[in-house]
Amino acid sequence: MKSSQLVAIISRLEAMQQGSTDDEVRTRRFEKNGAERGLVSFDPQTETYELEELTNHQKFEFDDIDLIAMEIYDLLDD
């Protein structure tokens, strides 16, 4: 059975929440086959994520980890 991509995405997002104790914005890049698809930032002050789709530079803001995980999954599944 193939391991879940969604679980891996959520693990990376949770790691962003549990980073250092300062109020610094943390970012992660999400790639497919070596091509960057999205850039995610987490702001610990507002507890929100921002997803920038690198193909069209659209930005979306999320306050729910499940919603951003599904959006990243869709972005990587294209």
Side-chain angles (χ1 to χ4, degrees):
M1 176 186 260
K2 186 177 176 182
S3 62
S4 172
Q5 290 180 338
L6 203 50
V7 170
I9 292 168
I10 290 175
S11 294
R12 289 187 68 192
L13 295 172
E14 286 175 337
M16 292 174 75
Q17 289 179 353
Q18 299 166 356
S20 60
T21 57
D22 59 15
D23 290 334
E24 184 177 315
V25 174
R26 297 169 201 105
T27 55
R28 298 284 186 276
R29 298 184 183 280
F30 286 84
E31 303 175 348
K32 181 175 181 178
N33 298 328
E36 291 182 357
R37 295 290 185 97
L39 179 65
V40 175
S41 302
F42 177 73
D43 185 344
Q45 290 182 339
T46 61
E47 295 184 354
T48 58
Y49 291 94
E50 180 181 86
L51 169 63
E52 179 181 359
E53 293 182 2
L54 297 177
T55 55
N56 55 17
H57 298 287
Q58 285 185 303
K59 293 183 179 183
F60 304 95
E61 195 167 297
F62 299 88
D63 61 358
D64 185 300
I65 195 168
D66 292 325
L67 295 177
I68 190 169
M70 289 186 295
E71 193 67 31
I72 294 168
Y73 179 85
D74 289 341
L75 183 65
L76 297 176
D77 196 42
D78 286 343

